[in-house]
Amino acid sequence: MNRVKAVWHGRWTVPGLAGGLIVVSLLLTRALNLPGWGDLTMIAAAVVAGTPVLIKAVRALLNRVIGIDLLVSIAAIGAIIIGNYWEAAAVTFLFAIGHALETATLNKTRSALAELVAVAPDTAIVLRDGEQVEVAAGAVAPGETVLVKNGARVPVDGVVIGGAGAVDEASITGESIPVEKTTDDPVYAGTVATGGLLQVRATGVGADTTLARIIHRVEEAQDAKAKTQTFMERFSTWYTPAIMVLAVVVGLITRDVTLALTLLVIGCPGALVISIPVAIVAGIGRGARDGILIKGGEYLETAARIDVVAVDKTGTITEGRPRTTDVIPLDPDLSADDVLALAARAEAGSEHPLARPILEAAAERGLTVPGLPEHTEPVAGKGIVAVVDGQRIAVGNRALLTAEGVPGPEVDRLDAVVTELAAAGRTPMAVARDGRLLGVVAVADQIRADAAEMVEGLHAAGVRRVVMLTGDIEPVARAVGDAVGVDEVRAGLLPEDKLDAVRELQAEGHVVAMVGDGVNDAPALAAADIGVAMGAAGTAVAIETADIALMADDLRKLPQAISLARRTVHNMRQNIAVALVTVAALLAGVLFGGVTMAIGMLVHEASVLVVIGNAMRLLRRPRERRRTRRGSQPVAASSVNASGSRSLINS
């Protein structure tokens, strides 16, 4: 019974029945010479195909909307009244076919959403009281341990607490290369284990998973209207009554009812109405497949006009994980390991972000750092002073050395070292013991392997300027900017300074995209025309608040997103041109003779299919020019901003 209902309400049922009745009518009239029965069958075909159209027209009128369905209904009823049964049946039949094809194609363009829904797992294997229990994915409680075996879909968001393996995260990030997972690594619902066995502590279940948030965002985005779409809908609300008035005027002047009815059919703005939404749905669907979440049609249109991209440095251009690059002893009695060991012992009690790379470097060299210092004293804007084995160890900038009583001539010896390290983008810190200079330790953040490719890709996508905004000092910021090829570097900025920079660029007439981590950069992200969140997988706030969220932590997705937006808007314009040219040509053909109601409807429906087919091209992944991947470069910077720089010794 359910199957019968499904067939009866299927998209092809009405055009199939109407088409069959038209064939029977032609046979009765021409083969069996029964014109009366043929006319009745043709009317039946028009009624079958036209009834759904008439119902939609009436419902629209009740909501004070005059649309394409009303035009077709009036034309078909009028054709039956004046005895043009074939035209009535042909118009409604072709309209029914066009509607069915339109629905089928729109469903195709929404396939990205269907694919996301399809990857959502139904069941999970949970460890309860030491036993493996299979439960519904939504029944897993946060904190429970879930087993993910080779080939299985991860049923929850969580953190690996045991085991090791590889996970294909293409459904979340758009990247097809599996990612190795070990203890403390995050995993996301809907991804697929391609090897190993993972024990995962559930942190997000059901609607709280990254996959669920993505599905929700794509649903909203595909339904959201662009400014162009809103304009076209307003245009069609005036255009449709205008066509009706034109048909009445022409009918009164020419006394030709058939001509007036034909004008109604030919003037249908179907291709025009669908030209924008089908492109938006296809563009957003393509982006979702590639791990690019676009908030809606309005943001898609704005992204297509971006000509300046502002990027944060730490965590965006760089990896945000500084490491020790240089240890330079300045005391002839000490080795590099001696200087590093003393710095590490002092930093063992520090909470400063540059302490970690020093401690990690000491560990890599096998240097022992026993316990914490007897006393640790952070000195704001200068560095840190610690008491180690009764000795006073200072690690920091020139001002700290002066405060610790290091003689001026010794401090002056640093200038050449500082200049060289700063020019290379490193962040030097002096190490002194009991008022005597021992050496310099320098750290640097890693420039991301794909940063230069991102800048190159943005320029290729039509972005005029790439501006790096950072709180780091000028020499370090300049070294990073030169390494990745940005057009402009603005250093020493506080969060409010980044906001001012974005507004200044907008005041110059630019459409600005801001890329950042959504925390320190929040004001600038909010002020920009388009805010972009990087590596948003698992970050609910980023997914919900960013205009564009790049699910993979891959900078090359940014130019890909802008290129997609430009292609989508270009596709919209092509569709509008096709629709307007078709309607204009058909109206001219009717007014000057030669175009009948049936031919006009056939051409009209063909234009609808052309528009839809053109939009579907967006679903294909564009060819990308080959690029050479570059390795990470240790040429960047401290994470210290201008308000508390401890970075350069002579700052």
Side-chain angles (χ1 to χ4, degrees):
M1 181 61 69
N2 290 335
R3 188 169 184 177
V4 172
K5 287 183 178 179
V7 172
W8 179 253
H9 293 288
R11 71 172 69 98
W12 294 107
T13 302
V14 169
L17 287 175
L21 288 171
I22 289 174
V23 171
V24 170
S25 175
L26 294 175
L27 289 175
L28 288 172
T29 302
R30 298 181 182 180
L32 301 179
N33 196 25
L34 298 172
W37 286 103
D39 289 345
L40 287 174
T41 309
M42 195 67 76
I43 293 172
V47 170
V48 169
T51 299
V53 181
L54 180 60
I55 292 173
K56 288 180 66 177
V58 172
R59 288 176 177 171
L61 277 176
L62 293 176
N63 291 310
R64 298 181 180 180
V65 175
I66 299 175
I68 182 175
D69 300 288
L70 182 61
L71 296 182
V72 174
S73 299
I74 294 174
I77 293 171
I80 290 175
I81 291 174
I82 64 175
N84 290 340
Y85 307 129
W86 156 248
E87 282 78 2
V91 166
T92 53
F93 171 64
L94 288 171
F95 191 76
I97 288 180
H99 177 71
L101 289 172
E102 178 184 315
T103 302
T105 313
L106 275 172
N107 288 342
K108 174 66 176 176
T109 62
R110 291 182 181 268
S111 60
L113 180 59
E115 290 173 7
L116 286 173
V117 174
V119 302
D122 297 322
T123 60
I125 298 177
V126 183
L127 284 179
R128 291 178 177 173
D129 298 326
E131 296 184 1
Q132 298 184 22
V133 181
E134 183 172 327
V135 300
V140 178
E144 284 194 299
T145 299
V146 178
L147 295 183
V148 182
K149 302 178 181 180
N150 183 22
R153 291 194 181 277
V154 180
V156 296
D157 280 6
V159 177
V160 177
I161 59 174
V167 177
D168 181 352
E169 297 183 338
S171 59
I172 299 295
T173 66
E175 296 294 333
S176 58
I177 299 176
V179 180
E180 294 294 329
K181 298 290 184 180
T182 57
T183 303
D184 295 331
D185 287 338
V187 293
Y188 308 111
T191 56
V192 181
T194 58
L197 172 66
L198 298 175
Q199 297 180 41
V200 176
R201 184 180 72 251
T203 58
V205 179
D208 293 329
T209 63
T210 299
L211 178 63
R213 291 193 293 269
I214 293 174
I215 291 172
H216 177 65
R217 169 47 59 86
V218 174
E219 284 177 332
E220 287 185 334
Q222 289 188 334
D223 290 334
K225 296 179 180 179
K227 292 180 180 177
T228 303
Q229 181 181 353
T230 304
F231 169 78
M232 293 308 299
E233 289 180 353
R234 290 200 304 269
F235 171 79
S236 66
T237 59
W238 289 96
Y239 171 84
T240 301
I243 289 294
M244 296 176 68
V245 171
L246 175 64
V248 171
V249 171
V250 169
L252 292 174
I253 294 174
T254 63
R255 305 287 182 177
D256 188 340
V257 178
T258 301
L259 177 61
L261 294 175
T262 304
L263 276 175
L264 286 177
V265 173
I266 300 306
C268 293
L272 195 61
V273 171
I274 200 175
S275 59
I276 306 302
V278 70
I280 290 174
V281 169
I284 289 175
R286 175 70 265 170
R289 288 182 179 179
D290 294 336
I292 301 168
L293 292 189
I294 302 173
K295 198 170 187 178
E298 178 181 351
Y299 302 97
L300 194 66
E301 281 191 294
T302 303
R305 297 186 289 110
I306 291 170
D307 61 347
V308 172
V309 172
V311 294
D312 178 42
K313 180 182 67 62
T314 305
T316 303
I317 297 248
T318 66
E319 295 178 352
R321 295 190 298 272
R323 70 179 181 87
T324 300
T325 57
D326 304 89
V327 181
I328 304 172
L330 298 177
D331 186 323
D333 296 330
L334 298 178
S335 67
D337 282 356
D338 294 333
V339 174
L340 180 60
L342 284 170
R345 293 199 64 186
E347 294 284 7
S350 171
E351 59 185 20
H352 195 279
L354 296 187
R356 180 176 294 277
I358 293 175
L359 292 168
E360 289 176 348
E364 289 172 2
R365 296 194 186 193
L367 304 177
T368 303
V369 184
L372 298 175
E374 292 104 78
H375 175 72
T376 301
E377 180 185 345
V379 183
K382 297 179 181 179
I384 187 174
V385 176
V387 177
V388 178
D389 297 334
Q391 299 174 322
R392 189 174 176 87
I393 308 297
V395 182
N397 60 20
R398 185 187 184 108
L400 181 64
L401 297 188
T402 302
E404 287 297 305
V406 176
E410 290 193 29
V411 176
D412 293 338
R413 291 171 56 199
L414 295 172
D415 290 344
V417 177
V418 166
T419 301
E420 182 179 354
L421 290 172
R426 285 146 169 83
T427 301
M429 292 173 287
V431 181
R433 177 175 58 189
D434 293 333
R436 181 180 177 186
L437 179 64
L438 303 181
V440 177
V441 177
V443 301
D445 201 350
Q446 293 285 105
I447 292 180
R448 294 169 55 123
D450 49 7
E453 292 181 39
M454 174 199 69
V455 175
E456 181 185 352
L458 288 173
H459 287 144
V463 174
R464 297 179 185 176
R465 291 165 61 189
V466 180
V467 182
M468 189 177 77
L469 308 178
T470 177
D472 219 332
I473 57 176
E474 180 72 25
V476 173
R478 182 65 58 187
V480 177
D482 292 342
V484 300
V486 299
D487 302 293
E488 183 180 344
V489 174
R490 301 191 184 190
L493 304 181
L494 298 172
E496 54 267 28
D497 298 325
K498 294 181 181 181
L499 171 62
D500 292 339
V502 168
R503 287 177 173 167
E504 179 184 328
L505 291 167
Q506 291 172 323
E508 294 173 2
H510 297 294
V511 178
V512 182
M514 175 67 194
V515 188
D517 58 17
V519 181
N520 293 330
D521 306 309
L525 284 167
D529 297 286
I530 293 292
V532 181
M534 288 292 304
T539 308
V541 174
I543 294 175
E544 293 300 324
T545 59
D547 301 323
I548 297 178
L550 308 181
M551 304 308 295
D553 196 20
D554 184 349
L555 291 173
R556 292 167 298 176
K557 293 286 185 182
L558 180 57
Q560 185 179 339
I562 294 176
S563 295
L564 174 63
R566 295 190 194 279
R567 287 191 298 117
T568 303
V569 170
H570 186 60
N571 193 281
M572 290 181 194
R573 292 170 180 165
Q574 290 175 334
N575 286 348
I576 292 172
V578 168
L580 291 176
V581 168
T582 300
V583 170
L586 287 176
L587 287 175
V590 171
L591 293 173
F592 295 103
V595 176
T596 65
M597 187 183 299
I599 292 175
M601 197 64 193
L602 182 62
V603 174
H604 166 74
E605 293 301 337
S607 71
V608 171
L609 295 182
V610 168
V611 163
I612 294 174
N614 186 47
M616 287 185 68
R617 294 189 301 115
L618 293 169
L619 295 175
R620 298 199 305 264
R621 186 189 298 270
R623 292 182 180 180
E624 296 181 1
R625 57 194 182 91
R626 297 179 64 183
R627 301 188 179 106
T628 302
R629 285 189 66 88
R630 307 181 185 183
S632 297
Q633 306 171 53
V635 187
S638 80
S639 55
V640 185
N641 64 29
S643 64
S645 176
R646 144 191 190 189
S647 50
L648 259 182
I649 300 174
N650 64 349
S651 62

